[in-house]
Amino acid sequence: MAEVRTDRPIVVDATGHIAGRLSSHVAKLLLQGNRVSIINCEKIMLSGTRANIIKEYRDFLKINSIIHPKHGPVHYRRPDTMITKMIRGMLPYGRKPSGVAAHKRLRAYIGSPRELKPLEKIQFEKAKIARSSSRYTTMDELGSVIGWTR
Protein backbone atom coordinates (compact mmCIF):
# COMPACT_ATOMS: atom_id res chain seq x y z
CA MET A 1 0.00 0.00 0.00
CA ALA A 2 1.27 3.43 -0.87
CA GLU A 3 1.43 5.97 1.89
CA VAL A 4 -1.29 8.53 1.28
CA ARG A 5 -1.88 11.37 3.73
CA THR A 6 -4.78 13.68 3.06
CA ASP A 7 -6.72 16.33 4.92
CA ARG A 8 -9.92 14.45 4.22
CA PRO A 9 -10.41 11.09 5.91
CA ILE A 10 -10.44 7.78 4.08
CA VAL A 11 -14.07 6.65 4.38
CA VAL A 12 -14.55 2.88 4.66
CA ASP A 13 -18.02 1.44 4.09
CA ALA A 14 -18.01 -1.56 6.41
CA THR A 15 -21.12 -3.23 5.00
CA GLY A 16 -20.49 -6.95 4.54
CA HIS A 17 -16.91 -6.98 5.89
CA ILE A 18 -15.52 -9.51 8.35
CA ALA A 19 -14.62 -7.71 11.58
CA GLY A 20 -11.05 -8.97 12.08
CA ARG A 21 -9.95 -8.52 8.49
CA LEU A 22 -11.45 -5.04 8.32
CA SER A 23 -9.71 -4.13 11.57
CA SER A 24 -6.29 -5.17 10.31
CA HIS A 25 -6.67 -3.17 7.08
CA VAL A 26 -7.81 -0.07 8.97
CA ALA A 27 -5.01 -0.42 11.56
CA LYS A 28 -2.47 -0.48 8.74
CA LEU A 29 -3.93 2.71 7.23
CA LEU A 30 -3.87 4.42 10.63
CA LEU A 31 -0.24 3.52 11.25
CA GLN A 32 0.64 5.01 7.86
CA GLY A 33 -0.69 8.36 9.11
CA ASN A 34 -4.11 8.44 7.45
CA ARG A 35 -7.34 9.61 9.05
CA VAL A 36 -9.93 6.84 8.71
CA SER A 37 -13.70 6.99 9.19
CA ILE A 38 -15.70 3.75 9.25
CA ILE A 39 -19.40 4.00 8.39
CA ASN A 40 -22.18 1.40 8.78
CA CYS A 41 -20.49 -0.33 11.73
CA GLU A 42 -23.71 -2.15 12.58
CA LYS A 43 -23.41 -4.11 9.29
CA ILE A 44 -19.98 -5.60 10.07
CA MET A 45 -20.05 -9.40 10.09
CA LEU A 46 -18.65 -11.81 12.68
CA SER A 47 -17.93 -15.31 11.36
CA GLY A 48 -19.23 -18.30 13.24
CA THR A 49 -22.58 -19.53 14.44
CA ARG A 50 -24.82 -16.95 16.07
CA ALA A 51 -25.21 -18.98 19.27
CA ASN A 52 -21.44 -19.44 19.66
CA ILE A 53 -20.64 -15.75 19.11
CA ILE A 54 -23.26 -14.68 21.65
CA LYS A 55 -22.05 -17.26 24.20
CA GLU A 56 -18.43 -16.12 23.84
CA TYR A 57 -19.34 -12.46 24.23
CA ARG A 58 -21.52 -13.18 27.27
CA ASP A 59 -18.56 -15.03 28.84
CA PHE A 60 -16.39 -11.98 28.05
CA LEU A 61 -18.93 -9.73 29.81
CA LYS A 62 -18.43 -11.70 33.03
CA ILE A 63 -14.77 -10.65 33.29
CA ASN A 64 -14.29 -7.85 35.81
CA SER A 65 -12.18 -6.83 38.76
CA ILE A 66 -12.78 -8.59 42.07
CA ILE A 67 -11.83 -5.52 44.09
CA HIS A 68 -13.84 -2.93 42.20
CA PRO A 69 -15.79 -3.69 38.99
CA LYS A 70 -15.16 -0.19 37.57
CA HIS A 71 -11.44 -1.00 37.52
CA GLY A 72 -11.97 -4.03 35.29
CA PRO A 73 -12.11 -4.02 31.49
CA VAL A 74 -14.77 -1.89 29.83
CA HIS A 75 -17.26 -4.01 27.91
CA TYR A 76 -18.69 -2.15 24.95
CA ARG A 77 -22.09 -3.00 23.55
CA ARG A 78 -22.41 -0.54 20.65
CA PRO A 79 -21.10 -1.76 17.27
CA ASP A 80 -19.01 1.37 16.62
CA THR A 81 -17.24 1.15 19.98
CA MET A 82 -16.75 -2.63 19.62
CA ILE A 83 -14.94 -2.20 16.29
CA THR A 84 -12.93 0.72 17.68
CA LYS A 85 -11.68 -1.51 20.49
CA MET A 86 -10.86 -4.30 18.01
CA ILE A 87 -8.77 -1.89 15.95
CA ARG A 88 -7.11 -0.51 19.09
CA GLY A 89 -5.97 -4.05 19.88
CA MET A 90 -4.14 -4.15 16.54
CA LEU A 91 -2.27 -0.91 17.22
CA PRO A 92 0.70 -0.46 19.59
CA TYR A 93 -1.71 1.54 21.78
CA GLY A 94 -0.23 1.09 25.24
CA ARG A 95 3.36 0.66 24.08
CA LYS A 96 4.18 3.52 21.70
CA PRO A 97 3.08 7.12 21.19
CA SER A 98 2.52 6.31 17.50
CA GLY A 99 -0.21 3.83 18.49
CA VAL A 100 -2.04 6.42 20.58
CA ALA A 101 -1.74 9.01 17.79
CA ALA A 102 -3.01 6.48 15.24
CA HIS A 103 -6.01 5.64 17.44
CA LYS A 104 -6.93 9.33 17.68
CA ARG A 105 -7.19 9.46 13.87
CA LEU A 106 -9.94 6.80 13.86
CA ARG A 107 -13.67 7.56 13.76
CA ALA A 108 -16.43 4.95 13.66
CA TYR A 109 -20.11 5.62 13.00
CA ILE A 110 -23.39 3.76 13.11
CA GLY A 111 -25.02 4.52 9.78
CA SER A 112 -23.63 7.21 7.52
CA PRO A 113 -23.30 10.79 8.85
CA ARG A 114 -24.31 13.69 6.62
CA GLU A 115 -20.81 15.21 6.41
CA LEU A 116 -19.32 11.97 5.01
CA LYS A 117 -21.99 11.26 2.36
CA PRO A 118 -20.33 13.25 -0.48
CA LEU A 119 -16.92 11.62 0.09
CA GLU A 120 -15.79 8.57 -1.88
CA LYS A 121 -16.16 5.32 0.06
CA ILE A 122 -13.76 2.40 -0.21
CA GLN A 123 -14.15 -1.29 0.58
CA PHE A 124 -11.50 -3.95 1.07
CA GLU A 125 -12.15 -6.89 -1.27
CA LYS A 126 -10.03 -9.25 0.87
CA ALA A 127 -12.10 -8.38 3.95
CA LYS A 128 -15.53 -8.98 2.40
CA ILE A 129 -17.54 -12.07 3.30
CA ALA A 130 -16.96 -15.01 0.96
CA ARG A 131 -19.99 -17.17 1.69
CA SER A 132 -23.69 -16.39 2.10
CA SER A 133 -24.54 -13.87 4.80
CA SER A 134 -26.59 -16.48 6.68
CA ARG A 135 -23.31 -18.00 7.95
CA TYR A 136 -22.38 -14.75 9.70
CA THR A 137 -23.75 -12.62 12.51
CA THR A 138 -23.89 -8.84 12.25
CA MET A 139 -22.62 -6.55 14.98
CA ASP A 140 -26.15 -5.15 15.13
CA GLU A 141 -27.55 -8.56 16.15
CA LEU A 142 -24.80 -9.13 18.72
CA GLY A 143 -25.24 -5.67 20.22
CA SER A 144 -29.00 -6.09 20.49
CA VAL A 145 -28.63 -9.40 22.34
CA ILE A 146 -26.00 -8.17 24.83
CA GLY A 147 -27.74 -4.97 25.83
CA TRP A 148 -27.32 -2.25 23.19
CA THR A 149 -30.39 -0.05 23.03
CA ARG A 150 -30.38 2.16 20.00
Side-chain angles (χ1 to χ4, degrees), residues 59-96:
D59 290 344
F60 170 66
L61 290 175
K62 292 177 185 172
I63 300 170
N64 64 4
S65 173
I66 296 171
I67 299 165
H68 199 290
K70 287 188 177 181
H71 296 163
V74 177
H75 305 296
Y76 297 109
R77 288 165 171 82
R78 288 179 42 165
D80 55 338
T81 52
M82 279 194 271
I83 197 69
T84 302
K85 190 170 181 183
M86 281 178 145
I87 295 167
R88 190 183 82 187
M90 297 184 181
L91 296 170
Y93 184 75
R95 301 184 301 270
K96 293 183 179 178

